[in-house]
Amino acid sequence: MSGANLLPRRRIFGRLSILAGNSVQIAGLVAAYLALAAARSAHSTEAAVFAMLLGWVLLYFCCHGIAHWIVGRILGIRFAFYTVGGTANPEGWPTGLRWVFEHLPFFGVQTEKASMQNARPIAIATMWSAGVTSSAVVPTLGALWVWRSGVPWGKWFFLAALFWAVGTLASNWTSRTGDYSKARRALGNP
């Protein structure tokens, strides 16, 4: 738990500079595109499904932190470094998945304190909302693309990705540690 607000603390495995974190995430997004493209041209159903899953996972892990950074920078928020660690929203996951998500390597981005103090509440709320929104939208669009490209099992995978996206959005909306909750607090709505 952290300080007076008693919110659970995120388990951090490491830190990366902004340049290194952006580089890793961009490389992950490019690898995701290549995996999804490989799924389209795979010669076996197993290879297509594997490439489709790999591409989706890479999109899921590599779009969140960089979305915070891109939107934050556009809105004048500065960042100090990236963290790599478990989910910052453990209570948003069912008990069985909670432990897993606390140990997966999610990218987080640490804002500069003075920058956040000087930012307008709407800018802060928009920056917080960008990460989870991209975590729902970007992988789902990737799944839609493979389905529309005729990848075997693509339609079913798209439906599963859509279901996952709805769960991601809902868990972040209802959880007190989720990004949408942080956005609401930035706007003065607990």
Side-chain angles (χ1 to χ4, degrees), residues 25-109:
Q25 290 172 96
I26 290 168
L29 294 171
V30 169
Y33 168 77
L34 294 173
L36 295 176
R40 292 176 51 202
S41 60
H43 296 297
S44 72
T45 299
E46 294 82 9
V49 169
F50 175 79
M52 180 173 57
L53 288 170
L54 177 62
W56 185 87
V57 166
L58 286 168
L59 288 175
Y60 188 75
F61 281 96
C62 294
C63 70
H64 185 104
I66 203 165
H68 283 307
W69 181 81
I70 290 168
V71 170
R73 290 302 299 140
I74 289 169
L75 298 174
I77 298 171
R78 292 183 311 279
F79 298 88
F81 54 86
Y82 278 103
T83 57
V84 180
T87 182
N89 182 30
E91 72 179 38
W93 296 97
T95 305
L97 287 177
R98 187 170 298 157
W99 184 90
V100 173
F101 277 81
E102 287 177 327
H103 292 82
L104 288 173
F106 290 100
F107 284 91
V109 66

Side-chain angles (χ1 to χ4, degrees), residues 155-179:
K155 178 180 180 180
W156 296 109
F157 185 70
F158 169 69
L159 292 173
L162 194 58
F163 179 76
W164 186 270
V166 169
T168 296
L169 295 173
S171 74
N172 272 273
W173 187 261
T174 59
S175 166
R176 62 193 169 108
T177 58
D179 283 349

Side-chain angles (χ1 to χ4, degrees), residues 2 17 27 30 103 113 116 122 159 163 174 180 187:
S2 71
S17 70
V30 169
H103 292 82
K113 187 175 181 177
M116 288 291 276
I122 191 70
L159 292 173
F163 179 76
T174 59
Y180 288 147
L187 295 173

